[in-house]
């Protein structure tokens, strides 16, 4: 009996092969090769960051950390994986593919990345995805490297997730939820950013190099640094707030989750977190097939502006704050993005037929501008921040008088708030993988 994973993966690779066959026939190629990549050394060095396979490879093969492999698609044939298992006493060679996923592919084990070159020379019209530097010999026969039309079509194929991909993202959320619970407990017990980070990775059970992105672990005003990258080993003397944006990875599929916390004595900031959390849940409910993500982003601005007005930070109506750009001083990033084998997954700013869909001028950071479709998985991550650089600009603007700067100054040391979930667009109700994961944990 094949396991559930074997069935889901077999259907996934069938779905992917079918998409790829169609694209190859249309563009006049008989073969597509997708390389998994090679580690890239630091300049003038023999050391490299943790290896991560190219995303188009991971979108087909559940081996996100194995270099020098080549996946071969030929129209009408089962995909073949040239799996490189080098004889290497410096590193542990990867185990040969076996079991549940290997059955869905033709597997050829090679001992060196050049072994497959000869075998593949017979193709007449070949397209290749990879880096020129890694593939030199393969490209001598006139193969097209990363042809833009083909890449665009592969990207488009990744926007609607198969049941296998949904399962991986859901499981990644289960892992992330465990990490978030451990991080919240560490914050409560007085841990530093670095100690919280360690508690997170221990609970998730993944090395930082396996996580889909560099975790953001910020105490107090560090919560206002959108991609805060430092992990201070010192707990600050004031105990105000904590923002953690950290994910997990399952067969290369990402979870991207943010939560914000405070200590019980800061009840007015806690009320603000609660208000953002409630607004975020209402936005998640609106993740429906057919809705424009740009419209949803505007609704997020209105929701955050409502909170700013009710909290007495800005004395303007939410509509005015949106129209004048005042809400963007407090929410300078986009509402969310596609998520998959890349945390900011591809094709967010093109239409299904490949037309460019740039974000409106007012929202340059918005990473998703499409109408949503069943099978899309998106993040919903509204936030409210007190970012000194932007507050200085607001203070110098004509809207300064409408801001209660005493309230702003009171909250600035708390940094900011973000709440982020991963949500599947379905034919009917949205599926919130993150809330489900936290629910199961409880
Ligand atoms: N973790 C980065 C983001 O939320 O997009
Ligand atoms: Mn995030
Ligand atoms: Mn995100």
């Amino acid at each position: 009996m094949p396991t559930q994973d074997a069935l889901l993966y077999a259907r996934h690779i069938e779905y992917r092969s079918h998409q790829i066959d169609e694209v190859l026939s249309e563009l006049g190629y008989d073969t597509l090769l997708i390389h998994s990549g090679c580690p890239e050394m630091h300049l003038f060095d023999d050391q490299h960051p943790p290896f991560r396979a190219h995303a188009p490879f991971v979108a087909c093969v559940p081996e996100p950390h194995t270099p020098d492999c080549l996946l071969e698609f030929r129209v009408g044939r089962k995909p073949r994986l040239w799996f490189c298992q080098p004889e290497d006493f410096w590193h542990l060679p990867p185990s040969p593919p076996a079991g549940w996923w290997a059955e869905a592919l033709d597997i050829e084990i090679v001992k060196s990345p050049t072994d497959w070159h000869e075998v593949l020379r017979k193709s007449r019209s070949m397209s290749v995805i990879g880096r020129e530097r890694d593939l030199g010999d393969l490209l001598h026969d006139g193969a097209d490297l990363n042809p833009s039309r083909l890449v665009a079509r592969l990207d488009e194929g990744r926007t609607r997730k198969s049941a296998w991909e949904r399962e991986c993202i859901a499981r990644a959320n289960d892992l992330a939820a465990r990490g978030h619970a451990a991080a919240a407990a560490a914050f409560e017990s007085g841990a530093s950013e670095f100690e919280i980070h360690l508690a997170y990775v221990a609970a998730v059970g993944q090395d930082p190099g396996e996580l889909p992105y560099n975790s953001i672990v910020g105490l107090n005003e560090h919560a206002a640094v959108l991609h805060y990258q430092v992990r201070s080993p010192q707990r600050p003397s004031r105990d105000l707030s904590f923002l953690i944006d950290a994910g997990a990875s399952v067969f290369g599929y990402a979870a991207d989750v943010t939560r914000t916390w405070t200590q019980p004595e800061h009840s007015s900031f806690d009320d603000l977190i609660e208000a953002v959390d409630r607004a975020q849940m209402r936005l998640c409910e609106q993740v429906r097939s057919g809705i424009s993500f740009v419209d949803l982003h505007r609704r997020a601005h209105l929701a955050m502006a409502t909170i700013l007005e009710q909290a007495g930070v800005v004395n303007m109506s939410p509509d005015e704050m949106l129209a004048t750009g005042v809400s963007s001083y407090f929410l300078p990033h986009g509402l969310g993005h596609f998520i998959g084998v890349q945390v900011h997954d591809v094709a967010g700013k093109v239409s299904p037929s490949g037309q460019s869909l740039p974000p409106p001028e007012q929202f340059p950071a918005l990473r998703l501008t499409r109408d949503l479709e069943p099978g899309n998985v998106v993040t919903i991550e509204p936030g409210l921040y007190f970012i000194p650089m932007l507050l200085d600009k607001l203070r110098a603007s004509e809207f300064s008088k409408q801001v209660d700067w005493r309230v702003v100054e009171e909250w600035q040391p708390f940094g900011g708030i973000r709440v982020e979930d991963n949500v599947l667009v379905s034919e009917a109700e949205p599926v919130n993988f993150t809330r489900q994961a936290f629910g199961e944990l409880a």
Side-chain angles (χ1 to χ4, degrees):
M1 259 296 269
T3 62
Q4 183 66 7
D5 282 0
L7 280 174
L8 286 178
Y9 176 71
R11 279 190 216 129
H12 168 69
I13 195 72
E14 217 173 279
Y15 162 76
R16 192 66 87 220
S17 307
H18 182 71
Q19 284 177 338
I20 288 175
D21 279 4
E22 262 183 22
V23 175
L24 291 181
S25 305
E26 236 178 274
L27 300 184
Y29 295 108
D30 61 27
T31 306
L32 167 65
L33 303 178
I34 305 181
H35 193 232
S36 70
C38 301
E40 192 164 22
M41 301 299 164
H42 300 299
L43 187 65
F44 307 138
D45 203 338
D46 61 0
Q47 301 297 310
H48 59 80
F51 174 72
R52 211 179 262 218
H54 297 324
F57 180 87
V58 184
C60 300
V61 181
E63 284 279 315
H65 301 286
T66 308
D68 287 317
C69 294
L70 199 59
L71 181 63
E72 175 188 358
F73 289 93
R74 279 179 200 267
V75 177
R77 292 244 305 263
K78 191 172 180 180
R80 176 173 298 177
L81 176 64
W82 302 84
F83 188 86
C84 188
Q85 203 187 27
E87 283 167 344
D88 179 359
F89 53 78
W90 295 99
H91 304 100
L92 183 71
S95 311
W100 62 271
W101 68 266
E103 284 150 25
L105 303 169
D106 276 340
I107 309 274
E108 295 276 348
I109 307 282
V110 295
K111 290 289 169 204
S112 118
T114 53
D115 283 2
W116 28 260
H117 292 187
E118 280 310 313
V119 188
L120 292 168
R121 282 177 194 280
K122 45 185 198 289
S123 166
R124 277 178 295 107
S125 55
M126 190 160 80
S127 48
V128 184
I129 304 289
R131 284 206 183 95
E132 185 168 7
R133 186 200 62 190
D134 302 338
L135 295 162
D137 283 359
L138 258 188
L139 301 173
H140 286 167
D141 284 353
D144 279 348
L145 180 65
N146 303 326
S148 55
R149 287 174 66 204
L150 182 134
V151 171
R153 295 289 299 277
L154 295 184
D155 288 355
E156 179 57 31
R158 283 166 48 192
T159 62
R160 290 169 297 279
K161 269 58 180 179
S162 66
W164 164 249
E165 294 176 294
R166 299 172 196 186
E167 176 66 20
C168 290
I169 298 172
R171 284 189 209 168
N173 271 273
D174 293 342
L175 292 179
R178 279 192 224 164
H180 277 265
F187 167 64
E188 256 181 56
S189 70
S192 67
E193 291 168 352
F194 182 65
E195 289 162 338
I196 297 172
H197 162 72
L198 293 181
Y200 183 87
V201 292
V204 170
Q206 295 186 340
D207 184 79
E210 293 174 83
L211 297 179
Y213 58 93
N214 205 15
S215 301
I216 298 163
V217 183
L219 293 172
N220 300 351
E221 72 277 10
H222 294 155
V225 182
L226 298 180
H227 285 172
Y228 176 66
Q229 76 283 24
V230 178
R231 287 164 202 141
S232 168
Q234 310 301 336
R235 177 81 171 199
S237 54
R238 296 181 71 195
D239 209 8
L240 303 176
S241 61
F242 167 48
L243 183 151
I244 175 163
D245 180 343
S249 196
V250 168
F251 297 119
Y253 286 86
D256 178 6
V257 175
T258 308
R259 290 294 184 266
T260 309
W261 304 98
T262 187
Q263 298 290 13
E265 63 270 27
H266 305 298
S267 61
S268 61
F269 193 70
D270 200 32
D271 291 344
L272 208 59
I273 297 175
E274 283 287 313
V276 173
D277 190 66
R278 279 194 304 272
Q280 191 268 2
M281 283 198 276
R282 283 194 295 272
L283 290 162
C284 289
E285 267 302 304
Q286 296 169 56
V287 170
R288 303 285 167 138
S289 174
I291 192 169
S292 147
F293 204 79
V294 178
D295 286 348
L296 205 52
H297 174 82
R298 285 203 182 88
R299 291 184 203 177
H301 268 266
L302 289 174
M304 295 303 108
T306 304
I307 295 171
L308 287 169
E309 186 195 21
Q310 288 172 352
V313 180
V314 182
N315 181 22
M316 287 169 96
S317 75
D319 285 322
E320 272 180 299
M321 276 189 247
L322 177 62
T324 54
V326 166
S327 56
S328 294
Y329 290 99
F330 298 92
L331 171 55
H333 62 69
L335 172 63
H337 47 85
F338 280 153
I339 184 165
V341 290
Q342 287 167 246
V343 62
H344 299 149
D345 215 4
V346 287
K349 292 188 279 190
V350 288
S351 73
S353 60
Q355 253 82 49
S356 168
L357 294 176
E361 222 168 285
Q362 193 188 356
F363 306 121
L366 185 57
R367 288 190 170 97
L368 178 53
T369 52
R370 297 168 61 124
D371 293 347
L372 298 181
E373 294 178 279
N376 293 162
V377 182
V378 299
T379 67
I380 295 295
E381 48 181 306
L384 269 188
Y385 310 88
F386 301 94
I387 301 174
M389 195 187 308
L390 299 183
L391 293 174
D392 286 348
K393 287 193 177 151
L394 179 57
R395 208 188 272 271
S397 79
E398 63 189 288
F399 307 108
S400 181
K401 292 188 299 293
Q402 268 111 317
V403 177
D404 187 334
W405 291 103
R406 275 172 321 163
V407 180
V408 169
E409 274 153 29
E410 196 182 312
W411 275 335
Q412 204 169 325
F414 290 78
I417 300 166
R418 177 163 68 255
V419 178
E420 177 176 25
D421 291 345
N422 306 163
V423 182
L424 168 71
V425 186
S426 80
E427 301 285 351
E429 301 284 306
V431 181
N432 188 324
F433 292 132
T434 313
R435 300 271 170 178
Q436 276 183 353
F438 279 114
E440 279 159 27
L441 208 61

